[in-house]
Every structure is written in C-alpha cells, then in structure tokens.
Amino acid sequence: MLPETLICLLNAALIQAASVQLSLNTVISLNAQTLPSPPTFSVPAAQDLTITVAFCSTGTSLPRFFVTNSSSVDDPGPDGGQDVFEISVDEGLGTFTGIFSDGGVLAVDADSSTSFIFEIGASDNGPLHEVLATFPLFGDSTSNQALLFSPPFDPPELVQPSYPNYTLPGPSLSPPSPPQSSPNFTIVIAPTSSQNLTSLPQTACMISNQSSSGNIANESLWLRDEEGWRTQWIIEGLSPQTNYTAYVVEGNQKLSGPMYFITKSAVFSCPLAAFLPYCPGVTYAVPLPSPQNSDILMYDSTNIPSSISDTLASYFTNFTTTLTTQACGRDYYSPLQTCADCQRSYFRWLCSVSFPRCGEASPSSSSSTTPSIVSSTSDSPTPTSALQPQSTSSSPRNAAFPTLNTPYEVLLPCIETCQAADRACPNFLGFACPLARFNANESYGVGYIDGAEPDKEGLGVPGSAQDRWGNVWCNLV
Ligand SMILES: *[C@@H]1O[C@H](CO)[C@@H](O)[C@H](O)[C@H]1NC(C)=O
Ligand SMILES: *[C@@H]1O[C@H](CO)[C@@H](O)[C@H](O)[C@H]1NC(C)=O
Ligand SMILES: *[C@@H]1O[C@H](CO)[C@@H](O)[C@H](O)[C@H]1NC(C)=O
Ligand SMILES: *[C@@H]1O[C@H](CO)[C@@H](O)[C@H](O)[C@H]1NC(C)=O
Ligand SMILES: *[C@@H]1O[C@H](CO)[C@@H](O)[C@H](O)[C@H]1NC(C)=O
Ligand SMILES: *[C@@H]1O[C@H](CO)[C@@H](O)[C@H](O)[C@H]1NC(C)=O
Ligand SMILES: *[C@@H]1O[C@H](CO)[C@@H](O)[C@H](O)[C@H]1NC(C)=O
Ligand SMILES: *[C@@H]1O[C@H](CO)[C@@H](O)[C@H](O)[C@H]1NC(C)=O
Ligand SMILES: *[C@@H]1O[C@H](CO)[C@@H](O)[C@H](O)[C@H]1NC(C)=O
C-alpha cells in the first residue's frame, strides 16, 4: 500500500503526461501532422463538460478521439477500459458530454503523414461547436440577386400600452436602433449542383473556408418580424435560374444550414424592395419598374414612390384613429387580444396586400427531389404556389402601384395574415376575410399553413409559407 501523498504525486505525474492543457471555453485548432507528442490533452475539471471536435479538412484517414475522466488512465485508446469513451464523429462533428470531477485526458489517434486540420473545444456551458437548429431565411431573389437572412436573435419586447394613457405607435418612419452587440454571422453560398457543400464535414471551419458565389452588396441588421433581429444580406452577381445552397456561420464554430433557394429566370423583371421601416416584412420582389439612380438595383425607403408610402401611412393613421375610439385598455373586447395586437396584425396584413409580391414557378425539378416536408402528407398532392398571372391590362391590387408594361405573376398573400387580423381586431371595425369555400383563392394563398377549411386548421399542405428547400408557397410578411 503506497502512502497517500505518493499516490497524489503519481497522479500528478500522469496528468502531466498529457502535454497540452485544453482550456475551458476556448477552441484549439490542430493539424494531424504537428500534434504534440504524445498526442494527448488534459481536460479541465467540470461537473458538466461538453467536449466537441470539428473536422476542418476532408480526407480518407480520419482522426479518432478517445477521452477518459479517470485519473488512472493516461492514454485512453481503442482498447477501452473503465471510463474510456470514444467521441463519435458524424458529418465532421463530434460531441461528448460527461462528468469530469477531477478532469481527464483526451487522446487523438491520427495519421501524422498527411495534413488534416481539426478543432477541439471543451466547455461547461453547452457545446462550442454545433449545427444550429434554426436555418437561414430566404427573403427573395431576382435573376441575379438574393435577399437572405441569418437566424434570428434578440426578439423585441412587444409594448403593451395601458389605460388611461393608451398610446399606439404611428407608422414607423425610421427603423428601430439595432442592439448593441450581435452575433458575428458570415454567409457562404454555392450553386447546389456544382459545388456540393452538403458532402463536406458540416462544420463552421470547413464551410466558412469554401469560396462563396456572388458578392455582398449590403449587410445590415434588420428587425423583420417578432422572431427578432437578423443579419440581412443583399447578394449580387448570381446566375439566373440556379439552385443555390446557403449556410450561415455564427462566430467561428456554429453552423446554420443548409438552406436552398433558386434565382429567377433571366426574364424576371421585378426589383427587390427592403428597408421599409413601416413594412419591415416587405423583403421581396415587387411589381415596380426598375429603380433609377440607386447603388443597388432595388427599392428602399429612399426611392420607393412617395405615392405608395404616403397612402400607406394615411391608412395606418386612419386605422389607428378608428381603433382607439374603442376604450382600449379599459373595455376589453377579447380575453386574448388587445388593441396593440390588433394594430400589429392589421399593419402586417396591410403591408402584405399593399406590396404585391412577384413570383415565378420553379423550373420543374427532376421529380425525385420532392421536398420531404410534402411527402409526409402522403394523401395530398404536391402543392403548387399561389401564383396569379397579371397581364398588362390587369389593374394592380394597390392602386398606388403603376401598371407594369410587362406581364408578371403575383404570389398571393397567405390567408392566415388576414385571419390573424380578423381574430385580433374588435368586431366594430368590420374586418373580414373571404371564405375558402367561396372565392378566397382569388386573392389569397389558401390552405398552405392551416388547411383550406376552418375545421382543417393545422392540416395545411405543406404547413408553412415557405420551406428551406427553396419553395415559397404564399407570401407571409
Ligand atoms: C466518470 O464518468 C462516469 C460516467 O459518466 C461517471 O459515472 C463518473 O462519476 C465519472 N468520474 C469522475 C471522477 O468524474
Ligand atoms: C403617454 O404614453 C406615451 C408613450 O408611452 C408617452 O410618450 C407620453 O408621455 C404619455 N403621456 C402621459 C400624459 O403620460
Ligand atoms: C467576425 O468574423 C470575421 C470573420 O471570421 C472576422 O474577420 C471579424 O473580426 C469578426 N468580428 C467580430 C466583431 O468578432
Ligand atoms: C452531395 O453529396 C451528398 C453526400 O455525399 C449526396 O447525398 C448528394 O446527393 C450530393 N448532391 C449533389 C447535388 O450532388
Ligand atoms: C482554408 O483553405 C485554404 C486554401 O483554400 C487552405 O490553405 C487552409 O489550410 C484552409 N484552412 C482550413 C482550416 O482548412
Ligand atoms: C445597406 O443599405 C441600407 C439602406 O439603403 C443603408 O442604410 C446601409 O447603410 C447599407 N449598409 C451598408 C453596409 O452598405
Ligand atoms: C384618412 O382620413 C382622412 C381624413 O378623414 C381622409 O382625408 C383620407 O382620405 C383617409 N385616408 C385613406 C387612405 O383612406
Ligand atoms: C379556387 O378554388 C376553386 C375550387 O375550390 C377552383 O375551382 C378555382 O379554379 C380556384 N381558383 C383559383 C384562382 O385558383
Ligand atoms: C434545390 O436543390 C435541393 C438539393 O438538390 C433540392 O432538395 C431542392 O428541392 C431544390 N429546390 C428547388 C426549389 O428546386
């Protein structure tokens, strides 16, 4: 039996054998050719430690990772042993969570004859490397531009005014000021057919090191909806009618995607509109002539025709005036909804009908790539988007829009936008939506989100306004 002090000394010596210390909440980047000898790392002590490994290279001989939290194992390896675990790596990412009360050792088993870059991180606060559950969001595209968003962060606090000073905001003329700090997002785009990003390790270091198509014409923070702030990118220089794959990298370790989108055909003539503070969800192509004198070929609050913005502002103001003839905040017309909710959903609906959205049918994709979201409802046919052709003689739904002298197709607003306003507003306003069994489908996209009949709520095909495969079924601002 050895004296206790000697055991402690021996343990210390064993932990010393691990040549490099992993520090808590930092990532180290390593190359298989230049690993320390022995290729072991001491793991910091933590009750709930997450160790992640991420491949930043591709190759045939992939490194393996073994970890132990036992102080009696100094070189964990494939032979196993008590409290020896292998970190299994899937699509380039490995995550291991365990109790490391006294720290531990991580060993890398790699082929040192070729270069292979990877990262290791240890954290007591969730994984440092991960594939995020939220996807980037597709705004819209033209033949050579795309408007894309990062996943959201910092959702806004909705203001609920109170009686007797029940003040509702007017139409916003300037956007709210962005949060002080924001995640560092970068975007990577590549044509889906020629540069297969999905076959690479699905890690931030791998994807962010790939060349990206197009060029970023504008990058800014935008509060598009209640989900929160997003980084908004306007990308230029893309090719027409091309399916692109997009990823967003957050920081240097977190990956969001893949998301797909397709650019429009070369004849598509509607320009993009965005940066409209009173309609923050209008981030799509609108039926207006090509804008003059703008750096980026698009409409924003500086060049949108004032006939459109002034009419909208007048509707906003008049609606708010009528709504507040109700004793908002004192007399409740609903146990669930308030005047502020009504105003928000009405504004949203008004934006969706005031800014028609141009669309185009996708080039029919080779059948087998039917979006998986659709095949889950096997008895329903694949939906087609709510597109409505407009000839040069059709009068635009919003009279403030000029008649375009080329035919185009409008992607109708999702009827749920109308129903939300109908539900949120007091009856005396007389707000009503057309019924699916009559002619609702002439002015709205019906049945995509909630199902076409009232008792079929939640049974819509495909269940959303758009999906991450690049399909957009109806317009949701
Ligand atoms: C090592 O991990 C095992 C399994 O998670 C756990 O039961 C054990 O308590 C850990 N030992 C130490 C010293 O943290
Ligand atoms: C009523 O509320 C608004 C907005 O919150 C505020 O600007 C205004 O000063 C308040 N007026 C009174 C009389 O409290
Ligand atoms: C954001 O990431 C880019 C690219 O990785 C880097 O150059 C830049 O310094 C980062 N900015 C901040 C504020 O971390
Ligand atoms: C890309 O690679 C993945 C995995 O190797 C494969 O499943 C997929 O079919 C490929 N896609 C294309 C468009 O080549
Ligand atoms: C990124 O790519 C460049 C060349 O394309 C390469 O030299 C570098 O090692 C790569 N970095 C990583 C982390 O793979
Ligand atoms: C992006 O466009 C908006 C609106 O036109 C403008 O306010 C902002 O300064 C632009 N940002 C950059 C980085 O060009
Ligand atoms: C708003 O109300 C004013 C005054 O009643 C009226 O002149 C104007 O036409 C209304 N605006 C709209 C868009 O109906
Ligand atoms: C609307 O739906 C009816 C059947 O419910 C169908 O006959 C009609 O063609 C549809 N109209 C449009 C514009 O899609
Ligand atoms: C784009 O390509 C992906 C991958 O092949 C496919 O799943 C998706 O359906 C395509 N998108 C469209 C709109 O065709």
Side-chain angles (χ1 to χ4, degrees):
M1 191 75 184
L2 291 169
E4 212 175 313
T5 47
L6 189 51
I7 294 182
C8 284
L9 281 175
L10 276 174
N11 280 350
L14 288 176
I15 288 173
Q16 289 277 305
S19 39
V20 179
Q21 169 87 40
L22 292 181
S23 342
L24 209 51
N25 305 323
T26 44
V27 166
I28 53 171
S29 181
L30 298 160
N31 188 331
Q33 277 181 319
T34 55
L35 286 178
S37 173
T40 53
F41 300 83
S42 70
V43 173
Q47 278 311 313
D48 185 13
L49 189 77
T50 307
I51 300 175
T52 48
V53 299
F55 290 171
C56 315
S57 299
T58 51
T60 46
S61 141
L62 303 174
R64 293 171 70 187
F65 302 85
F66 300 93
V67 66
T68 182
N69 65 355
S70 157
S71 43
S72 59
V73 180
D74 62 342
D75 186 9
D79 297 337
Q82 169 109 40
D83 290 334
V84 172
F85 308 94
E86 175 162 12
I87 303 180
S88 67
V89 179
D90 183 31
E91 297 197 302
L93 180 68
T95 308
F96 179 87
T97 303
I99 306 165
F100 288 78
S101 331
D102 307 321
V105 179
L106 180 140
V108 182
D109 187 352
D111 172 4
S112 62
S113 64
T114 55
S115 167
F116 190 94
I117 298 163
F118 58 93
E119 292 179 348
I120 305 178
S123 155
D124 58 357
N125 184 25
L128 293 178
H129 296 96
E130 68 180 316
V131 175
L132 298 170
T134 44
F135 288 93
L137 179 74
F138 172 57
D140 205 355
S141 59
T142 65
S143 61
N144 58 6
Q145 298 165 309
L147 201 162
L148 305 170
F149 294 93
S150 72
F153 62 94
D154 273 11
E157 243 174 69
L158 297 183
V159 184
Q160 283 293 358
S162 62
Y163 189 80
N165 182 16
Y166 200 98
T167 319
L168 288 172
S172 348
L173 299 175
S174 56
S177 38
Q180 295 291 313
S181 70
S182 61
N184 194 356
F185 289 116
T186 44
I187 191 161
V188 178
I189 301 169
T192 303
S193 59
S194 57
Q195 196 184 343
N196 194 347
L197 298 180
T198 52
S199 66
L200 296 174
Q202 297 295 287
T203 58
C205 58
M206 188 78 230
I207 298 293
S208 62
N209 206 21
Q210 304 303 305
S211 60
S212 187
S213 310
N215 55 290
I216 297 173
N218 184 294
E219 174 174 339
S220 41
L221 291 174
W222 191 249
L223 184 60
R224 187 179 178 278
D225 52 39
E226 278 118 52
E227 291 187 350
W229 288 87
R230 296 170 186 268
T231 293
Q232 172 179 271
W233 289 277
I234 317 276
I235 316 282
E236 291 185 325
L238 301 175
S239 310
Q241 227 168 52
T242 305
N243 186 327
Y244 284 93
T245 312
Y247 287 86
V248 167
V249 173
E250 178 184 336
N252 292 314
Q253 279 89 37
K254 306 203 174 189
L255 186 69
S256 164
M259 177 266 270
Y260 301 89
F261 68 90
I262 44 177
T263 46
K264 305 291 197 303
S265 64
V267 299
F268 185 81
S269 61
C270 298
L272 292 174
F275 301 109
L276 304 177
Y278 41 88
C279 287
V282 171
T283 53
Y284 50 77
V286 293
L288 285 174
S290 206
Q292 305 296 316
N293 310 323
S294 59
D295 286 352
I296 309 175
L297 209 61
M298 68 179 292
Y299 283 98
D300 61 19
S301 56
T302 63
N303 61 357
I304 197 92
S306 58
S307 56
I308 296 174
S309 46
D310 292 350
T311 315
L312 203 58
S314 162
Y315 273 118
F316 280 155
T317 310
N318 292 8
F319 179 81
T320 306
T321 307
T322 313
L323 175 62
T324 46
T325 59
Q326 158 98 13
C328 290
R330 191 194 69 188
D331 299 347
Y332 287 92
Y333 59 89
S334 153
L336 298 175
Q337 308 281 355
T338 65
C339 290
D341 297 330
C342 164
Q343 194 206 32
R344 266 192 297 272
S345 38
Y346 175 83
F347 280 14
R348 238 175 137 155
W349 168 82
L350 187 60
C351 289
S352 77
V353 297
S354 302
F355 285 95
R357 175 169 175 163
C358 297
E360 188 180 81
S362 312
S364 48
S365 51
S366 52
S367 60
S368 66
T369 56
T370 309
S372 58
I373 195 159
V374 171
S375 56
S376 65
T377 48
S378 50
D379 55 344
S380 313
T382 306
T384 49
S385 301
L387 286 169
Q388 192 180 69
Q390 307 287 301
S391 69
T392 49
S393 60
S394 331
S395 51
R397 184 153 178 185
N398 178 348
F401 271 67
T403 307
L404 274 196
N405 48 18
T406 51
Y408 61 98
E409 283 186 279
V410 156
L411 182 74
L412 298 173
C414 308
I415 197 164
E416 289 77 7
T417 314
C418 181
Q419 290 163 343
D422 184 11
R423 268 199 303 276
C425 289
N427 277 332
F428 83 89
L429 289 173
F431 193 91
C433 305
L435 294 175
R437 65 176 181 281
F438 298 117
N439 55 355
N441 62 354
E442 283 166 19
S443 39
Y444 291 98
V446 177
Y448 296 99
I449 303 178
D450 279 347
E453 299 300 329
D455 59 340
K456 297 253 177 70
E457 275 208 9
L459 291 181
V461 179
S464 60
Q466 64 185 75
D467 63 26
R468 71 176 181 96
W469 310 102
N471 302 299
V472 186
W473 312 109
C474 54
N475 187 27
L476 191 69
V477 304

